[in-house]
Structures are given as C-alpha cells and as structure tokens.
C-alpha cells in the first residue's frame, strides 16, 4: 500500500532537498511512468501480476551520494527498502515483498559505470552494471586480452549476482565472480560509506556470496580480471532419442565433466520431448584451440560423438555472446535483450554420480512435461580448490555438479501456474535420494522460497528464534557458513533494516 499524501510530500521534500529528482510514486494506471519503471526490470513475470505488492515509490539514484541519501530518506519515512540491480531475483525479492508493509524501491540501473584498468588487470564498476555491460567493457578496453568470471546471462545485474556468488563458464578455471572481488564501496544501513579497509572482516566476507538484500547496499565492486587466450573453442551439440541411450550419455558425463582440465566447461541440459523420448544438449567452452578440445573430447568422452565441424574457434568475447544467446557484441550492452517468461526454479548439488536407473527415472518424468528442463553445471577445477569457508558460498570440493530445475510458461498459460509449480516440486522430491542431504544444499542465486521464509510481523524485529528458523534455508545455501553470516549481520545491520523473505536475521543485542 502507498503511504498517504502527507508522507509522500515529506518524502519528496527529503529527496528533492538532496537533489534527487528521478522518482515516481505508485500508480495503478498501466501506462504510468511508475508502471514502466517498475516492470522494465522484472525478469520473472510471476511477480509482475496486478496482485504482486508494489512499492510506494521507485527511486533512480544518479550518484553514490544520491544512493546514500535515498536510503536515508526512505528510513526517515520508515519505509522498508528494496534494492534492485538487474531484477533477476528468481523470487522477485528486489522489487516486491509479501509482508504488505509499505516499501520503497531503489533501482540502480543508472549506476552502471564500468572502469577498466588493463595494466593492473582490475575493474571498478557500479553495482547497477549488468554482466553484459561489464563483459563488453572489459573486452573492449583490454583489446580482448582480459575477461572475468561470472554468469552467462548478459542482463543479470552485478549487484545481486556477485552478492550471491556468480557461477559461469570460467568458474572451473577462476572460481566465482565473488572469488575475484578485491574491494567494495558499500553503504551501510546508517548511510556510512565504507570500503574494505573500513569494514569488519566478517562483513566484507558476507558481501561476497552471503546473498543480496541482507546487509546494506553495494555501490561498487572492484574486480580482479583474468587473462583469456586470443582464441577459445565454443560448441553446442544435442542428442535426442530413446531415454535409455541418453541416460547412458548423461551417466558418463558425470564422470567426465567435473574431471576435465580446468580450461574446459561442459554443461548439459536435459529435457523431455513430446514423443516420450528425451533430449540432451551440451554446451562447451575450452580455453584453447579447436584441435586440442577435439582431442580431449574424443579421448575422454567418445560417446558425445563430437565432430570437428561442431567446434568453432572465436574470441572469448564472441563466446560470451554465444553463451548469452545473443547475436552481436554490442547486444551485451542492451539491458532488455532477454526474453521474459513466468518461471519457478529449484537447485541441488550432486556429490555421488547418479545411477543409470535414477537418471532413467528422472528422464521419464521429464518426458511427461515439455515445459520443464534441468541444467547441470560441472564443478571441479578451481571450484574444488577454493576453500569452502573462504566465502559464504560453501559448495566446493566434493561437489561434482549443480542441478537447476526449471519450469516456465507464458501469460496464456497463467491458469496452469499452480500445476506447473506443483509438478516441479514433485520432480524435486523424486530427485531427493540422488543429491546432497543433511542438509539438502541449494545455491542462493537460484533463490527458492519453498525452502522457508522469515515470518516477521514487523520485519525489523528479530529474535533468537528467527535466527534458528532461518537455518531452514540458511543451512541449505551456506552450510557451515551460516553462523558467521548471522554474526556479520548482527555487526552491520543489528536493526534488520535490510531484510527480505530469506535475508539473514541478526541476533538480538
Ligand atoms: P536483483 O536486482 O533482482 O537482486 C537480487 C537480490 O540482490 C535482491 O535481494 C536485491 O535486493 C539484492 N541486490 C541487488 N543489488 C544489490 C546491491 N547493489 N547491494 C545489495 N544487494 C543488492 N546465476 C549464476 O550464478 N550464473 C548464471 O549463469 C546465472 N544465469 C541467470 C540467468 C537468468 C535468466 C536469471 C533470471 C538468473 C540467472 N542467475 C545466474 C541467477 C542470478 O545470479 C541471480 O538471480 C542474481 O541474484 C541476480 O542479480 P540481479 O542484480 O539481476 O537481481
């Protein structure tokens, strides 16, 4: 609900007195600037429906100072704060809330400056920059010699992505995006602007993987860039047919992909096809020549039946364009290339290869639901070398791959939403015996509110029981790192100003 007009007037005068003019108040008219400003960055259309609670105000700060002042003005008016970078939260946590408390949305999309220093192989960028904007600038300003490790979708925002880790095609070689963060400019709940040297060590640790929306607002990140070769090898290959044959192929993948040289990324997507068969597609990136990629694959994975014509050498930035499903390098800078739909996702980690029977069972279930698919991302390499307590992201050595379960649908199928979501939950239940357990782990960037939610009545109060309850998802996302996150939260935001359905609760004084 929107605050009354007197509070709007007070909020406006607070913002205007700080020189902030880019804001609009809630409006029900679909053609209002408010509606456009809200929806342009909603990635999961499930949270664009009229029933989704809307912010009382959207503010677009144009500078670090305006960001700081926007936080303070919202606090002064006792509005809950939501912060949005790329709007790709799977559960819409950057722009809505189920608490029905009035809230203000700070959208960072105008804070997207990227500064690359090729000499020191580092970059500073504002946290409203998308991954595509960063990829574009890093490649352009280093003449194609440098890259960085992060996710494949170009429109994902660096604010939320790095806050939760950030896995991508270079992660087996260089780790997560968060593993490569050197420094940060951060605004705490009281508006203090802090860099790494000014903040508690636990807080700097928490910001790099402890999940967005819990701590305050990251204004900018400093990133270690990584060398990329002149030419890389890119390929995709699909096989479809009887499930038993495909299950053999996927079974072998589990032994191959996590153990390939760390220069290799080979993921697999599995879906059903309407004729009751299955379809398995592989995406590969190799940081080296086509010949070398070909010889490694034919040696270790002849079942893939790759031929030289499947492999294509290209610049690293062109492989980024391919992985993002775009047409050209300039598309990387376009914030609205990604097609949008309604979706629900869940995630798992696999530590022991799944049996052939298990895979056949999974693929038979998938064959019945053409709207669903799973994505398996290989770990190993640097992902296993980096310690599981170095950052909040704990899924390191011992994990063969992650699974992401997805089901999506269009507006025309809106009436089927509950059935689709129930289907995904059933499939996830089937997979339970093949994946990590005690706790069953999940990736915080694939946010899943099914794991549990904070049920604060006033979200700023938090009790010892809240911190215990939050283990439901805290343990799944962070395992043994959860307690340190609670300590970090208690230090930086004891009043729980930055909270959401799955944020880390502080301990009471
Ligand atoms: P959004 O703006 O929705 O923010 C997400 C959360 O972070 C919210 O809680 C928000 O408040 C908070 N937040 C945002 N900016 C902040 C800031 N500056 N300071 C503090 N908190 C902030 N992941 C992955 O690891 N690898 C991948 O390849 C992909 N690919 C992918 C594709 C698509 C199509 C989607 C929808 C998602 C992914 N993801 C992914 C998951 C993605 O990493 C995850 O959804 C991120 O949280 C999205 O970050 P955004 O800034 O876009 O989201």
């Amino acid at each position: 609900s929107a605050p009354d007009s007197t509070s709007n007037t007070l909020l406006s005068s607070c913002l205007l007195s700080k020189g902030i003019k880019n804001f609009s108040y809630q409006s029900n008219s679909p053609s209002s600037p408010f509606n456009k400003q809200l929806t342009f960055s909603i990635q999961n259309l499930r949270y664009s429906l009229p029933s989704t609670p809307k912010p009382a105000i959207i503010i677009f700060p144009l500078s670090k100072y305006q960001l700081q002042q926007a936080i303070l003005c919202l606090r002064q008016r006792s509005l809950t704060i939501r912060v949005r970078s790329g709007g790709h939260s799977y559960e819409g946590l950057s722009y809505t809330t189920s608490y029905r408390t009035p809230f203000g949305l700070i959208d960072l999309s105008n804070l997207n400056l990227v500064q690359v220093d090729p000499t020191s192989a580092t970059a500073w960028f504002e946290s409203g920059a998308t991954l595509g904007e960063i990829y574009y600038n890093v490649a352009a300003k280093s003449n194609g010699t440098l890259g960085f490790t992060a996710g494949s979708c170009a429109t994902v925002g660096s604010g939320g992505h790095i806050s939760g880790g950030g896995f991508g095609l270079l992660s087996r070689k260089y780790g997560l995006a968060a593993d490569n963060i050197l420094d940060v400019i951060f605004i705490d709940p009281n508006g203090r602007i802090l860099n790494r040297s000014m903040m508690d060590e636990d807080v700097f640790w928490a910001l790099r993987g402890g999940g967005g929306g819990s701590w305050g607002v990251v204004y900018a990140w400093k990133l270690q860039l990584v060398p990329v070769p002149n030419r890389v090898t890119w390929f995709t290959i699909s096989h479809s047919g009887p499930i038993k044959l495909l299950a053999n192929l996927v079974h072998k993948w589990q032994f191959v992909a996590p153990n390939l040289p760390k220069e290799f990324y080979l993921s697999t997507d599995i879906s059903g096809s309407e004729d009751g068969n299955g379809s398995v597609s592989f995406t590969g990136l190799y940081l080296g020549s086509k010949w070398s990629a070909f010889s490694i694959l034919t040696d270790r994975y002849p079942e893939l039946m790759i031929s030289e014509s499947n492999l294509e050498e290209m610049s690293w930035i062109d492989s980024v364009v391919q992985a993002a499903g775009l047409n050209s390098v300039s598309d990387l800078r376009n914030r609205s290339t990604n097609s949008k739909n309604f979706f629900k996702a869940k995630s798992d980690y696999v530590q022991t290869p799944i049996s052939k029977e298990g895979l056949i069972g999974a693929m038979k279930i998938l064959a019945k639901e053409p709207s669903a698919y799973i994505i398996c991302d290989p770990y190993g390499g640097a992902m296993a070398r980096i310690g599981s307590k170095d950052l909040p992201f704990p899924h390191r050595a011992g994990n063969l791959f992650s699974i992401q379960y997805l089901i999506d649908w269009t507006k025309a199928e809106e009436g089927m939403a509950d059935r689709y979501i129930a289907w995904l939950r059933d499939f996830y239940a089937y997979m339970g015996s093949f994946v990590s357990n005690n706790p069953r782990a999940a990736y915080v960037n694939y946010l899943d509110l099914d794991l549990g939610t904070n049920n604060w009545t006033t979200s700023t109060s938090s009790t010892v029981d809240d911190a215990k309850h939050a283990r439901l998802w805290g343990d799944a996302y962070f395992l043994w790192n959860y307690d340190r996150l609670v300590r970090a939260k208690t230090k930086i935001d004891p009043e729980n100003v930055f909270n959401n359905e799955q944020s880390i609760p502080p301990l009471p004084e």
Side-chain angles (χ1 to χ4, degrees):
S1 60
D4 59 34
S5 58
T6 329
S7 8
N8 283 0
T9 312
L10 290 169
L11 182 54
S12 297
S13 56
C14 183
L15 293 168
L16 292 169
S17 74
K18 307 299 176 189
I20 305 173
K21 296 184 194 131
N22 286 338
F23 58 87
S24 50
Y25 287 102
Q26 191 180 116
S27 150
N28 292 328
S29 151
S31 59
S32 63
F34 171 88
N35 242 310
K36 290 195 188 110
Q37 289 167 355
L38 177 64
T39 49
F40 87 99
S41 184
I42 292 183
Q43 186 61 32
N44 188 347
L45 298 180
R46 271 170 72 203
Y47 301 102
S48 65
L49 299 172
S51 56
T52 307
K54 310 275 187 285
I57 184 172
I58 308 180
I59 307 170
F60 291 85
L62 299 175
S63 64
K64 178 172 65 183
Y65 172 77
Q66 289 196 359
L67 173 57
Q68 173 198 42
Q69 295 306 320
I71 294 169
L72 294 174
C73 288
L74 289 175
R75 282 203 71 186
Q76 197 188 84
R77 302 309 323 145
S78 303
L79 286 169
T80 297
I81 301 173
R82 286 286 178 276
V83 183
R84 180 166 74 179
S85 170
H88 282 49
S89 168
Y90 279 14
E91 302 277 14
L93 295 193
S94 54
Y95 50 82
T96 187
T97 167
S98 56
Y99 295 137
R100 312 241 160 223
T101 49
F103 67 103
L105 165 54
I106 302 178
D107 184 292
L108 304 174
S109 54
N110 289 322
L111 297 174
N112 63 346
L113 190 73
V114 181
Q115 285 178 318
V116 179
D117 178 13
T119 317
S120 63
T122 58
W124 268 110
F125 49 88
E126 292 177 323
S127 72
T130 61
L131 300 184
E133 289 170 330
I134 305 167
Y135 284 129
Y136 178 92
N137 280 288
V138 167
K141 293 186 184 137
S142 70
N143 270 325
T145 58
L146 297 170
F148 83 104
T149 167
S152 48
C153 175
T155 49
V156 165
S158 61
H161 186 67
I162 301 177
S163 294
F167 179 92
L169 278 68
L170 296 185
S171 291
R172 296 190 68 253
K173 171 102 174 155
Y174 295 115
L176 303 171
D179 292 321
N180 292 276
I181 291 298
L182 303 169
D183 205 343
V184 69
I185 299 173
F186 170 76
I187 306 183
D188 83 359
N190 294 317
R192 288 186 307 156
I193 298 178
L194 308 172
N195 64 21
R196 177 181 190 167
S197 68
M198 295 157 76
M199 68 176 70
D200 188 280
E201 221 180 289
D202 284 347
V203 175
F204 183 59
W205 175 85
L207 293 178
R208 293 168 296 155
S214 276
W215 320 101
V217 184
V218 171
Y219 161 71
W221 303 101
K222 183 183 187 185
L223 181 73
Q224 176 70 60
L225 304 175
V226 299
V228 288
N230 244 342
R231 309 297 282 170
V232 303
T233 301
W234 165 264
F235 62 92
T236 57
I237 179 169
S238 300
H239 293 287
S240 47
I243 281 171
K244 267 196 183 152
L245 287 180
L246 296 179
N248 284 337
L249 192 61
V250 175
H251 188 254
K252 176 82 184 271
W253 174 86
Q254 305 177 98
F255 295 85
V256 176
N259 295 306
L260 284 169
K262 55 188 185 307
E263 289 71 27
F264 229 119
Y265 166 90
L266 178 64
S267 67
T268 178
D269 294 8
I270 309 172
S271 57
S273 58
E274 272 157 30
D275 54 11
N277 285 335
S279 167
V280 180
S281 62
F282 297 86
T283 300
L285 175 74
Y286 177 63
L287 300 175
S289 74
K290 169 173 163 167
W291 306 115
S292 166
F294 183 67
S295 115
I296 294 170
L297 288 173
T298 45
D299 178 41
R300 304 217 193 170
Y301 200 14
E303 298 84 350
L304 190 59
M305 293 189 297
I306 196 111
S307 75
E308 288 161 31
S309 63
N310 295 125
L311 305 172
E312 199 184 338
E313 278 187 15
M314 56 182 70
S315 66
W316 171 75
I317 195 67
D318 281 333
S319 78
V320 171
V321 172
Q322 293 291 329
L326 300 174
N327 296 317
S328 71
V329 174
S330 60
D331 286 348
L332 290 169
R333 289 191 293 181
N334 184 339
R335 292 184 87 101
S336 54
T337 46
N338 216 40
S339 62
K340 296 180 176 184
N341 51 24
F342 297 70
F343 68 91
K344 170 69 191 161
K346 302 178 80 67
S347 65
D348 259 322
Y349 281 91
V350 176
Q351 295 163 343
T352 320
I354 302 174
S355 64
K356 280 185 193 164
E357 295 66 37
L359 290 169
I360 290 172
M363 290 168 82
K364 279 187 178 158
I365 302 176
L366 273 170
K368 296 203 184 100
E369 184 42 86
S371 303
Y373 56 102
I374 67 176
I375 303 173
C376 303
D377 268 322
Y379 278 43
M383 290 302 293
R385 196 193 66 234
I386 298 168
S388 70
K389 294 182 180 169
D390 289 10
L391 290 187
F393 181 98
H395 317 294
R396 309 281 186 168
N399 289 286
L400 297 174
F401 59 98
S402 67
I403 305 182
Q404 196 180 171
Y405 310 92
L406 288 135
I407 190 157
D408 53 41
W409 60 95
T410 60
K411 190 161 177 56
E413 301 167 287
E414 222 177 282
M416 308 265 283
D418 289 346
R419 199 189 71 68
Y420 281 138
I421 294 172
W423 185 93
L424 197 75
R425 288 178 181 146
D426 286 348
F427 184 42
Y428 177 79
Y430 165 81
M431 292 299 291
S433 55
F434 307 113
V435 297
S436 69
N437 59 42
N438 276 326
R440 186 171 180 177
Y443 175 26
V444 67
N445 266 351
Y446 302 153
L447 214 68
D448 177 8
L449 294 188
D450 292 355
L451 298 174
T453 55
N454 291 306
N455 37 30
W456 293 306
T457 40
T458 61
S459 48
T460 46
S461 67
S462 177
T463 66
V464 175
D465 282 344
D466 289 327
K468 274 191 199 144
H469 173 70
R471 283 193 181 284
L472 282 175
W473 60 96
D475 284 349
Y477 294 145
F478 308 113
L479 305 177
W480 37 79
N481 293 326
Y482 174 71
D483 289 312
R484 187 171 175 195
L485 286 172
V486 173
R487 285 203 296 279
K489 172 74 176 183
T490 310
K491 286 177 188 170
I492 194 70
D493 186 17
E495 293 173 60
N496 205 17
V497 172
F498 286 88
N499 64 75
N500 62 46
E501 283 71 353
Q502 283 191 342
S503 59
I504 304 287
L507 284 173
E509 293 267 324

